[in-house]
Amino acid sequence: MHLIRSAVLKMTLYYLLIIMALSIGFSLFLYHVSSIELNRELRRPSFITQTEIGTLFNYDRFRDTRLEESHHHLLDNLIAFNIATLFIGGALSYALALRTLHPIEDALEAQSRFTADASHELRTPLTAMQTEIEVALRNPKLNAEAARQLLASNLEEVGKLKALSDSLLHLAQQNGQSDSYRTISLKEVAAQAAEYHGKQAQAKDITIENRVPAMTVQGDKETLVQAVAILLDNAVKYSGPKTTVVLSGKRLNHQVELSVKDHGSGIKASDLPHIFDRFYRADRSRNKETVDGYGLGLSIAKKIVELHHGSITVKSTLEQGSTFTIKLPLETA
Ligand code: ADP
């Protein structure tokens, strides 16, 4: 990305400027202090007069030459040190800038992918509505009945758009405010989620069994209910009539487990690694036309569970059913 590349270069430059300012400052200080030291060391002791040693050599001339040599030597060393600092510091600054900006680059990329996916999904119902309306308007003999049918179809598309925008909003709102976390009963969470989908299950003659025992976790009740409700919604959506969906729970060493087991269509092994991705819908030819959805439910559930420091996994066999398991850390007293 061009934006990130120029930010990396800018950051490298800033880091390098700081390093070089320190290095040059330090060198100047060292040069100054060393000069004073050299001057002091090579000063002729006051008890020896130049005439006394003058017979051997001219001490003052010797001193000046030594001083000049030492200064040159010191200056050469310091310049070499600063050139080395410039190159090594430049490489280090670049590596550091890359490391600092890498997560930002990832986040930006994920965001633009998300926006592209969301726009694509929004386009589908909008295009369907646009086409229907255009065809209807071109028909000079449009009667009340046809207009009513058009409105009903448009209403359906509007419903889909609303569901999609609600899902997107939920996804954006999950930003992990752990200050709203309280001790909550998982049994109640399961019961509330089951209540949400009672009618939907009844319509398909599906029984929802809540076997979650009394267990507590630290968390936000509303969002956890939402996560379990998403799993239940899928369990009911992807199960045939007259089947059973079981909600169960158990306590492990440091975690509690809540599972949603259905006897529905199951998920293909090749789809399993992707079903928690945004906008992913397994086996399009089989599901997309028959079951409504945007492939956002599981990514919302995953995000909620992760914000509770938990994990979500799935086991599934095609045509036999799926079990989604949420693991949450056990509440510490
Ligand atoms: P949506 O259900 O809206 O398509 P999700 O993110 O909730 O989106 O699910 C992603 C995909 O995972 C679904 O399209 C479906 O193919 C598959 N899936 C999820 N839950 C189940 C389930 N209980 N049984 C079978 N397939 C499931």
Side-chain angles (χ1 to χ4, degrees):
M1 263 188 213
H2 175 70
L3 202 74
I4 289 291
R5 216 168 300 139
S6 71
V8 167
L9 290 180
K10 228 185 235 172
M11 204 165 203
T12 307
L13 205 69
Y14 287 147
Y15 283 153
L16 193 60
L17 271 178
I18 294 171
I19 293 173
M20 287 317 292
L22 285 173
S23 172
I24 292 171
F26 173 72
S27 303
L28 287 174
F29 174 74
L30 202 72
Y31 185 74
H32 181 68
V33 171
S34 302
S35 300
I36 294 174
E37 274 305 305
L38 276 173
N39 275 336
R40 193 178 302 147
E41 256 177 43
L42 291 173
R43 192 180 299 147
R44 168 161 43 88
S46 56
F47 53 87
I48 302 174
T49 62
Q50 177 60 48
T51 40
E52 274 175 320
I53 56 167
T55 46
L56 292 172
F57 62 98
N58 185 331
Y59 185 80
D60 286 345
R61 224 178 43 222
F62 160 76
R63 193 192 80 132
D64 287 348
T65 326
R66 277 303 305 271
L67 257 180
E68 207 174 310
E69 268 174 24
S70 301
H71 275 143
H72 271 137
H73 201 58
L74 184 65
L75 209 61
D76 286 350
N77 280 343
L78 286 176
I79 289 173
F81 170 75
N82 276 288
I83 291 174
T85 309
L86 181 71
F87 285 108
I88 297 172
L92 278 177
S93 303
Y94 185 68
L96 206 67
L98 269 184
R99 211 187 142 99
T100 313
L101 292 172
H102 193 62
I104 300 174
E105 184 178 15
D106 282 353
L108 276 178
E109 226 175 83
Q111 200 173 28
S112 72
R113 211 177 324 125
F114 176 63
T115 313
D117 285 347
S119 325
H120 178 79
E121 292 295 329
L122 283 167
R123 273 183 73 90
T124 313
L126 282 174
T127 312
M129 276 169 71
Q130 190 184 16
T131 318
E132 280 177 0
I133 295 170
E134 276 170 3
V135 170
L137 284 180
R138 256 188 259 126
N139 178 4
K141 293 184 216 131
L142 184 74
N143 58 28
E145 182 49 32
R148 194 180 297 276
Q149 264 177 18
L150 171 74
L151 286 177
S153 164
N154 280 353
L155 195 62
E156 201 180 306
E157 299 300 336
V158 169
K160 285 184 192 172
L161 280 171
K162 189 171 173 297
L164 175 59
S165 73
D166 284 349
S167 298
L168 290 173
L169 209 60
H170 281 312
L171 210 54
Q173 278 167 349
Q174 308 305 326
N175 50 9
Q177 277 152 359
S178 52
D179 48 345
S180 65
Y181 287 7
R182 314 250 177 281
T183 299
I184 50 170
S185 151
L186 272 189
K187 193 182 164 81
E188 274 176 35
V189 167
Q192 208 162 312
E195 205 182 298
Y196 282 164
H197 295 292
K199 275 205 185 111
Q200 187 192 345
Q202 232 174 17
K204 283 177 86 174
D205 207 1
I206 291 175
T207 317
I208 298 179
E209 278 181 29
N210 183 2
R211 297 190 202 152
V212 178
M215 306 188 290
T216 54
V217 287
Q218 277 286 318
D220 178 61
K221 191 171 176 187
E222 218 172 289
T223 52
L224 274 181
V225 168
Q226 197 191 344
V228 179
I230 287 168
L231 300 185
L232 265 180
D233 177 43
N234 282 345
V236 173
K237 265 191 334 191
Y238 299 106
S239 286
K242 297 190 189 353
T243 53
T244 311
V245 175
V246 181
L247 280 155
S248 58
K250 67 175 172 210
R251 198 184 299 258
L252 307 170
N253 266 350
H254 303 289
Q255 284 174 314
V256 286
E257 216 181 73
L258 190 152
S259 300
V260 180
K261 182 180 167 72
D262 67 56
H263 299 91
S265 61
I267 304 159
K268 266 203 293 196
S270 57
D271 284 322
L272 281 177
H274 309 290
I275 55 168
F276 293 100
D277 295 348
R278 285 170 185 160
F279 296 110
Y280 188 85
R281 304 206 69 209
D283 200 353
R284 284 156 188 264
S285 58
R286 188 162 51 95
N287 278 333
K288 196 150 182 168
E289 279 76 30
T290 51
V291 183
D292 273 350
Y294 287 98
L296 282 175
L298 287 180
S299 56
I300 296 174
K302 184 169 181 246
K303 197 157 179 187
I304 292 172
V305 172
E306 281 173 353
L307 287 174
H308 284 80
H309 310 291
S311 60
I312 181 166
T313 51
V314 57
K315 279 194 182 131
S316 186
T317 314
L318 216 52
E319 306 306 339
Q320 286 188 26
S322 318
T323 305
F324 283 84
T325 304
I326 293 176
K327 280 188 186 156
L328 295 168
L330 196 63
E331 190 191 8
T332 44

